[in-house]
Every structure is written in C-alpha cells, then in structure tokens.
C-alpha cells in the first residue's frame, strides 16, 4: 500500500519522452502524467539530472543484446529516459523508512529527464550538503562505477601505481580523484585538449593518447582502469606488472549486437590462465556506495566536474554533445 502522503498523483509534468530507439532526434519534450510509486519507492521532485553513457545506449538500443535482456525489443520499455537525479522527496511508499517528504536526495531513478521521477529507496541517499543539486546529480552512476571498479574489482591498495584510460570522462574524472584519495599514484590518459582537466583532478602524471604509449615498456602499473576504450588485451597486459590487475569498465567499439562485450568476455576467459588478473563487471546501484561517496565529497577529496548545463527541453542537444566525445567530466540537465 502506498503511503497516505502520496494521495492520488494524477497531475501532469514536463518530461522528455521517446517511443522508438535512435539518435537524439527520437527525443521530444511533452507533458505527461506523473509516475506512481510502489511501497518501496520514493517520488522525487527532480531539480537536476545527470547524463551518462548508459543513458545514451538506452536511447539508441545498442548493443542489441540490451533489448534481448528485457529493456524493450522494438522500443524502450521506459518512455522517459534518464537515471541520475538529485531533488526533493515529494512522496514515499508505505515501506520507505529512510526518507521523509522534503528531504534532499540524490541517486538513481527511472525517468529522471522529467519534473518528477521514481526511485527505489535502496538506490537513494541524502544529498551532500556541500553540493548543489546540479553537482549532486552527476555523481551517482559515474562515481559509483568508478568506486566499484577501484575497490570491489580493482582491489586498490595504498602506494599502487594506477593507470586510468579515459581519465577526462564521466567515470574517469571520478576514478582519478578516488584513486588519489585511496593513496595511489595516478597516471591519467586523455586527449590533448583535456590534459589540463586531468591534471586539475589531481593526476600525478598525464599521457596524451595521440602521442604517448602507456604500453611502451617504460612504466608498468599495478592497476589499470580501461574506461570506454578498446585496446587489445595484449596491450593492457604489456602495461601491467606481472601480478597487476586490469579492470574493463566500458567499451564503445564492437558489433551492434554485443558492443564491447566480446572483449570483456575474452578477458574473463583468459584471466584464470595468466599471472595478471583481468576483470569486467556490471556496476550495481546502491545506497551504500552513495553514502561512502558523500563522505569523500564532504571531506573535499572528490568534487564533481561539470562541463555544461542544459535545460530540460535541450536534452537532445546534451545527448549529441555526449555522443561527440567532447564532454569534459560530466554534463547536467536542470529542471
């Protein structure tokens, strides 16, 4: 049963909707009914929403394996895109115990490109006091992924040499800061135009991928995070120490059917037979990570890096900017 605080939510709201897969042209700005919440869910009045590469994949429906996995074969199951959010609790389900109406929260929900969105209680946390809604909205998915890559799968240790490939992007910009917070010496790889950003994030060394070869043999790393890249596994292994770990966080190349998953599966099959550890994972969305990130944010060890801000009706422009690969850090939608 839904909490009495919810009442009959029948009002309308502004939202971005899509009924078919495709590029940013499938997105349109409309007025639709507000969502209803289940017993374990929270209705959030969205003040800001973040963009991440996963949202782009959900918009395009690629790789096709995502559709087979139950996200909608001919078109998206959820008409309103967007996952990252920051806002104010509008209503709660009857089983919700951690939040009350009026609380400022951030986390992962369904359909955050709208004035209201629904989130499961276990994917929300109280918003860091030191952050604006815009800053908080770009933390959950990207910073959570970076945290899990470094700790759960990379098993980072103080004093290690860490290489972050794709250090200027959404996940990478957090990975550099988190690795430094955990006591590692960090080298970041990015394009020429984004090296200054990577330095500002605290990287000890920066490499320009257009001219510097991180696998050239002059330096070896205990841990490599390969974020949205597609280097051959043999190249990653050349850059590792004999007992080092490479964590594949993403991969944008590959077939329309599987995307970068072929390389990830090869890594998992190869890992048991070599001295180095090759790992791949699908990030979890959990409040415990958000609470850990909040502590790091409030102590000044992690700061969101926002490139551009877009109003809700310009989400298609934001998606095009994201797809171009020119975003420095994160982009955010204000509602």
């Amino acid at each position: 049963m839904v909490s009495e605080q919810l009442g009959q939510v029948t009002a309308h709201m502004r939202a971005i909707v899509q009924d078919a897969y495709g590029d940013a042209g499938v997105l349109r700005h409309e007025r639709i009914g507000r969502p209803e919440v289940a017993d374990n869910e929270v209705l959030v009045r969205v003040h800001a929403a973040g963009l991440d590469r996963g949202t782009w994949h959900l918009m395009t429906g690629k790789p096709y394996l995502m559709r087979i996995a139950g996200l909608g074969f001919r078109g998206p199951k959820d008409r309103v895109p967007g996952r990252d959010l920051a806002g104010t609790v509008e209503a709660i389900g009857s089983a919700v115990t951690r939040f009350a109406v009026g609380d400022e929260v951030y986390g992962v929900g369904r359909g955050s490109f709208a004035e209201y969105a629904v989130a499961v209680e276990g994917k929300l946390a109280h918003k860091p006091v030191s952050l604006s809604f815009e800053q908080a909205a770009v933390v959950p998915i990207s910073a959570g992924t970076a945290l899990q890559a470094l700790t759960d799968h990379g098993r980072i240790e103080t004093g290690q040499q860490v290489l972050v490939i794709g250090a200027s992007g959404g996940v990478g910009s957090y990975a550099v800061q988190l690795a430094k917070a955990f006591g590692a010496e960090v080298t970041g790889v990015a394009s020429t135009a984004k090296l200054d950003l990577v330095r500002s994030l605290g990287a000890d060394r920066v490499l320009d991928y257009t001219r510097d070869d991180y696998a050239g043999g002059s330096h070896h790393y205990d841990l490599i995070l390969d974020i949205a890249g597609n280097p051959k596994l043999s190249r990653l292994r050349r850059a590792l120490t004999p007992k080092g770990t490479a964590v594949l966080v993403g991969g944008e190349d590959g077939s329309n059917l599987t995307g970068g998953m072929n390389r990830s599966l090869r890594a998992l099959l190869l890992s048991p037979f070599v001295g180095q550890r090759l790992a791949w994972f699908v990030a979890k969305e959990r409040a415990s990570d958000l609470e850990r990130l909040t502590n790091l944010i409030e102590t000044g060890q992690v700061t969101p890096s926002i490139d551009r801000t877009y109003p809700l009706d310009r989400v298609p422009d934001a998606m095009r900017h994201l797809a171009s690969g020119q975003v420095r850090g994160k982009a955010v939608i204000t509602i």
Side-chain angles (χ1 to χ4, degrees):
M1 179 180 293
V2 176
S3 167
E4 292 181 1
Q5 298 177 65
L6 179 60
Q8 296 296 319
V9 182
T10 57
H12 285 71
M13 66 177 185
R14 295 186 302 121
I16 297 297
V17 300
Q18 70 172 108
D19 294 310
Y21 293 120
D23 60 19
V26 302
L27 304 176
R28 62 186 187 278
H29 186 223
E30 288 190 358
R31 293 191 66 83
I32 63 173
R34 291 186 195 177
E36 297 182 355
V37 300
D39 291 351
N40 66 333
E41 293 179 333
V42 175
L43 180 66
V44 179
R45 169 68 173 93
V46 182
H47 297 300
L51 290 180
D52 70 285
R53 195 70 183 185
T55 303
W56 180 87
H57 284 293
L58 291 172
M59 178 187 73
T60 61
K62 295 179 181 178
Y64 297 141
L65 196 59
M66 292 170 42
R67 308 187 192 188
I68 300 171
L71 296 176
F73 191 74
R74 297 185 181 277
K77 184 181 297 183
D78 296 321
R79 294 184 69 219
V80 181
R83 300 189 296 159
D84 272 332
L85 60 80
T88 306
V89 174
E90 183 78 7
I92 60 174
S94 61
V96 173
T97 60
R98 295 172 50 240
F99 304 104
V101 173
D103 285 354
E104 294 183 349
V105 296
Y106 78 133
V108 181
R110 298 193 309 275
S112 63
F113 295 166
E115 292 180 301
Y116 295 88
V118 168
V120 174
E121 181 183 19
K123 297 184 179 184
L124 289 177
H126 290 94
K127 182 181 77 65
V129 175
S130 62
L131 296 187
S132 66
F133 285 109
E134 289 79 11
Q135 290 174 307
V138 301
V139 172
I141 291 174
S142 293
T145 300
L147 179 65
Q148 292 173 35
L150 288 167
T151 59
D152 297 13
H153 305 279
R155 303 170 192 171
I156 189 170
E157 297 179 5
T158 300
Q160 284 188 326
Q161 296 285 325
V162 176
L163 178 71
V164 180
I165 304 172
S168 63
V171 176
S173 62
Y174 289 112
V176 170
Q177 297 179 77
L178 288 167
K180 288 296 296 180
F182 298 146
E185 183 170 327
V186 182
T187 299
V189 180
S191 64
T192 308
K194 299 178 182 179
L195 295 180
D196 60 328
L197 170 63
V198 180
R199 289 190 188 95
S200 73
L201 296 170
D204 299 286
R205 298 172 62 234
V206 295
L207 299 177
D208 184 339
Y209 78 80
T210 65
R211 62 170 184 260
D212 299 320
D213 184 7
Y214 58 79
S218 61
H219 206 90
H220 293 89
Y221 302 91
D222 303 295
L223 174 59
I224 296 176
L225 262 59
D226 177 30
I227 304 167
N230 201 39
K232 292 182 178 180
L233 297 178
S234 58
R235 188 161 184 246
L236 292 177
R237 293 186 60 209
R238 284 200 304 272
L240 282 173
T241 59
K243 297 295 183 180
T245 296
V247 181
L248 310 185
V249 182
E252 295 304 325
D253 295 330
S255 69
N256 284 335
L257 177 62
T258 61
M261 290 186 65
N262 284 342
R263 187 180 63 129
S264 300
L265 293 174
R266 289 198 304 272
L268 294 181
L269 292 172
L270 176 63
S271 186
F273 302 101
V274 297
Q276 298 151 328
R277 193 165 62 89
L278 308 176
W280 171 76
F281 72 105
V282 176
K284 297 179 175 65
E285 300 160 353
R286 55 199 185 195
S288 59
D289 285 341
L290 293 172
E291 290 163 355
R292 187 174 183 185
L293 289 166
T294 294
N295 291 332
L296 292 163
I297 289 166
E298 298 291 28
T299 56
Q301 297 176 84
V302 173
T303 302
S305 179
I306 294 178
D307 178 26
R308 295 186 189 180
T309 300
Y310 295 85
L312 182 62
D313 60 359
R314 289 191 58 203
V315 165
D317 293 334
M319 281 293 197
R320 293 184 185 98
H321 186 46
L322 178 70
S324 73
Q326 297 179 30
V327 176
R328 296 162 55 95
K330 298 287 294 183
V332 63
I333 308 301
T334 56
I335 294 99

